Amino acid sequence: MSRRSEEKKAEQADRLAEKRAREALASGLTAQDPSWTQKPVKPGRASGKKGKGPEKTSRPRELYVPPRGWMGPGGGRVGYMDPPTMWRATTVQACGMWPFAAGSGSPMTGVPLGQHLFTGATVCGDPLSWFTRARYISNPSLFMLGMPGLGKSTLVNRMLIGLAATGVVPLVLGDLKPDYADTVRALGGQVISIGRGRGGINVLDPGAMGEAAARIGGEAGEVLKAETHGRVLNMVAALITIVRGRPMDDHEQSVLSACLHHLRERTPVGSTVLLPDLLRVLTEGPDRVRAVTLDRGDDARYRDAVDPLHRSLLGILDGPLGDTFASETSTRINPAAPAVCIDISGIGEADTQLTAAAMLAAWSDGLGTVAASHALADAGLAPRRWFFTVLDELWRPLRAASGIVDRIDALTRLNRSLGLGDAKITHTLKDAEALGTDSDRAKARGFVERAGMVVCAGLPRAEMEDLGKVVGLSRREIELVSSWSSPPGWGVSGEHEEPPGRGRFLIKVGGRPGIPIKVAITDAERRLHNTNTRWTPNEESVEQAVSQAAARVARAAQDDTPRLPGATAADGRWTA
């Protein structure tokens, strides 16, 4: 039965009860006291004698007031009464109210996220728990959209903390603000800073995969060495693509692969190979490298084949990327760390080439660490570990380099086999439309379609309409999320007033109805994850400035010489 029909039925019952009450009062009130009534009594029941007529009774009758008030002007009629709030409790806690306690049906598997916006029930969830334990989703990935300042990264930060408590290893491979460095430090994890004067990555370093291959040995170790070679080759090719602005030619990739093989064979165990060593191999021109250039013993043909590659490598070393990628790795990723964050916030906003290169290098090194961990676990040399990657501000790496689009696209398709869950955060679907090529735009749109969980913060109505075509939003859900993007009223006052949509999210999984939640963060989370640190005043500095100003005013009040603002001590005026 709908709410409108229930309301009509209640109104009819109230009118009928009111009509009966008026008729009873009109027929039973006496002239002396309107609160006393005459009540017909059956013969012989009141006095014990038969044949007697009705007589007065001394019991007063209370006036009937309908539950929703009297009808008509001034009656105080209430159109609708809000239902009571629903709460979740165990049978032990709610035993005094049983059987009036009822379950709300909210998911309780995973990290506690917040309370249901309508029922107040606790809602739990995260991509890994809903994939492995609850089986709600078929892909351990999350895609989050919402306007800035509504708490998107705060919710993912809570998932990161909760998953770390269960043994999952969070990987923030490119923290751009940074938003997660303090949280990773608090978890006892590893924070690696990348940027000019901060730290660098040697893209020729095999890293954790090389160490795992040497530890495993045998045929499995050789397979892992081949995979390591491919990752290094792809990373150098990505750097050259960033410098050139276009992909490498196929014969150049063959030359680069031959140079890398030559370096591995000639370098002693334990020694480090750098990009300048790669340039030296091109200059020397060993037989293995000359063979893939088809020079046929002609030095001129060899130089024509390798000179473009040589110039691009010089552009990396002497250009904007040289300080970061020409030296040894400042800090390697620790495979046993409980959490890892690669902080690239020291790179300027306008330095798109270095940002793109740092993101690609961080992802290559991080995913190589994941592959090494699984290889060791398959060989029985290490325990099995799961990983959770976070890619915040997705629009920035997507625009920085097309190579990152391909890496994320492959990750969303293969993360089930990698033992890797991921969370991608951006503002709107229009961020994908700003990419340079049609293929990149199509790949970016597929991120939402393949996501196991889609979480929406406040979004404009037009954006929700477009999103509804992908994930299947109802009209009520579109209106609800659109209302969260509205700004507060003009009359709002106070320092800590928040937008109406901050901390409110709608979780969509497949064709199921969305789950609206309200997230309330703790003081510890607020200290670890303050994305507005640049707008937070330094309270000590403010207090010090106020005390200094008060002292100056007190000294001026004690001075008998009248002075004007802006004057010097010589002419009787204040100094600044």
Side-chain angles (χ1 to χ4, degrees):
M1 184 181 294
S2 64
R3 179 181 295 181
R4 185 58 184 167
S5 61
E6 292 179 356
E7 196 169 329
K8 287 183 178 180
K9 185 176 180 180
E11 289 180 359
Q12 293 176 356
D14 289 348
R15 289 183 180 180
L16 180 61
E18 182 180 344
K19 180 179 179 182
R20 292 176 178 175
R22 291 182 183 276
E23 292 176 353
L25 291 174
S27 61
L29 292 177
T30 60
Q32 293 81 5
D33 190 353
S35 65
W36 293 75
T37 60
Q38 283 187 339
K39 180 178 179 181
V41 182
K42 292 183 179 181
R45 176 169 296 182
S47 58
K49 299 179 180 179
K50 295 183 179 181
K52 297 290 183 179
E55 62 181 8
K56 288 186 179 181
T57 177
S58 60
R59 186 177 61 185
R61 179 187 294 272
E62 296 180 356
L63 293 174
Y64 173 78
V65 179
R68 301 192 184 201
W70 297 96
M71 297 291 293
R77 180 71 175 175
V78 178
Y80 176 72
M81 296 181 66
D82 292 334
T85 304
M86 298 176 64
W87 302 94
R88 178 190 291 269
T90 65
T91 54
V92 175
Q93 296 168 326
C95 58
M97 298 182 292
W98 191 266
F100 302 105
S104 62
S106 299
M108 291 291 290
T109 303
V111 179
L113 301 180
Q115 290 183 308
H116 197 286
L117 198 60
F118 301 141
T119 66
T122 302
V123 178
C124 302
D126 61 80
L128 272 73
S129 299
W130 282 14
F131 173 73
T132 58
R133 295 166 54 194
R135 304 291 182 181
Y136 293 150
I137 57 180
S138 59
N139 189 14
S141 63
L142 178 147
F143 198 95
M144 182 177 294
L145 302 100
M147 299 301 289
L150 297 182
K152 302 185 298 298
S153 55
T154 302
L155 180 62
V156 173
N157 190 68
R158 172 167 291 186
M159 291 185 185
L160 186 148
I161 296 172
L163 288 172
T166 64
V168 177
V169 182
L171 299 175
V172 185
L173 303 177
D175 198 352
L176 291 159
K177 288 186 179 179
D179 284 338
Y180 306 94
D182 291 338
T183 301
V184 171
R185 289 191 187 97
L187 293 173
Q190 183 184 27
V191 178
I192 303 173
S193 296
I194 301 298
R196 295 187 183 92
R198 295 172 177 265
I201 295 179
N202 178 17
V203 294
L204 302 185
D205 188 355
M209 292 187 68
E211 295 177 356
R215 186 178 174 185
I216 294 172
E219 184 179 354
E222 294 298 325
V223 172
L224 197 57
K225 286 182 180 179
E227 177 66 20
T228 304
H229 173 81
R231 285 185 179 273
V232 172
L233 175 63
N234 291 334
M235 188 60 230
V236 178
L239 292 182
I240 294 174
T241 301
I242 291 172
V243 172
R244 289 182 177 181
R246 62 176 180 83
M248 292 178 60
D249 296 331
D250 54 351
H251 70 277
E252 290 180 320
Q253 293 188 15
S254 300
V255 172
L256 184 59
S257 178
C259 290
L260 291 174
H261 279 300
H262 178 80
L263 279 174
R264 298 298 179 201
E265 293 173 357
R266 298 296 185 269
T267 303
V269 178
S271 300
T272 304
V273 180
L274 303 175
L275 280 179
D277 299 328
L278 191 62
L279 277 175
R280 189 180 67 253
V281 173
L282 283 176
T283 304
E284 294 174 354
D287 294 338
R288 181 166 188 169
V289 178
R290 286 178 176 271
V292 298
T293 62
L294 302 179
D295 66 330
R296 297 181 175 87
D298 187 350
D299 288 341
R301 288 173 60 90
Y302 174 73
R303 295 302 169 190
D304 291 340
V306 301
D307 279 351
L309 179 60
H310 199 154
R311 283 193 295 268
S312 297
L313 290 174
L314 285 175
I316 295 176
L317 294 175
D318 298 334
L321 309 182
D323 294 340
T324 307
F325 301 101
S327 58
E328 295 186 13
T329 301
S330 56
T331 306
R332 283 188 173 185
I333 294 179
N334 181 11
V340 177
C341 174
I342 299 181
D343 180 8
I344 62 172
S345 60
I347 303 175
E349 293 282 343
D351 203 343
T352 56
Q353 282 191 346
L354 185 55
T355 299
M359 289 289 297
L360 288 171
W363 274 85
S364 178
D365 200 8
L367 295 182
T369 303
V370 173
S373 175
H374 290 315
L376 290 173
D378 293 340
L381 301 177
R384 180 73 64 188
R385 307 177 80 193
W386 293 343
F387 298 86
F388 178 63
T389 61
V390 177
L391 183 57
D392 204 345
E393 301 294 339
L394 181 65
W395 61 272
R396 189 174 170 187
L398 288 183
R399 297 180 189 179
S402 59
I404 205 71
V405 181
D406 296 328
R407 286 189 177 275
I408 301 172
D409 181 63
L411 179 65
T412 58
R413 300 174 188 272
L414 303 175
N415 52 0
R416 289 183 301 165
S417 60
L418 294 176
L420 185 70
D422 68 274
K424 296 176 285 294
I425 309 172
T426 190
H427 296 142
T428 66
L429 287 178
K430 294 182 175 62
D431 293 335
E433 303 299 327
L435 299 180
T437 63
D438 293 337
S439 60
D440 285 348
R441 286 191 288 269
K443 294 172 187 175
R445 285 193 294 269
F447 296 162
V448 185
E449 298 173 354
R450 291 190 297 273
M453 297 171 61
V454 177
V455 181
C456 305
L459 287 169
R461 180 178 293 274
E463 182 67 23
M464 290 299 298
E465 296 284 352
D466 295 339
L467 184 61
K469 300 176 183 177
V470 180
V471 298
L473 296 169
S474 67
R475 179 59 51 185
R476 173 59 181 154
E477 291 171 344
I478 292 176
E479 293 175 354
L480 178 65
V481 178
S482 300
S483 66
W484 296 340
S485 63
S486 303
W490 295 111
V492 173
S493 60
E495 297 182 359
H496 303 290
E497 296 291 343
E498 296 183 348
R502 178 169 295 175
R504 289 173 169 81
F505 303 93
L506 181 71
I507 303 175
K508 286 289 293 184
V509 175
R512 295 184 178 93
I515 305 173
I517 65 172
K518 168 65 175 177
V519 178
I521 63 175
T522 62
D523 291 337
E525 289 176 302
R526 187 175 291 106
R527 288 192 302 269
L528 293 174
H529 193 75
N530 183 9
T531 58
N532 296 324
T533 53
R534 295 293 175 87
W535 294 95
T536 304
N538 189 336
E539 297 181 358
E540 295 181 359
S541 300
V542 172
E543 293 176 358
Q544 184 179 4
V546 171
S547 61
Q548 291 177 355
R552 287 198 298 267
V553 172
R555 288 195 301 268
Q558 296 174 0
D559 194 347
D560 295 334
T561 304
R563 295 180 179 178
L564 299 176
T568 61
D571 58 4
R573 291 181 297 175
W574 285 358
T575 57

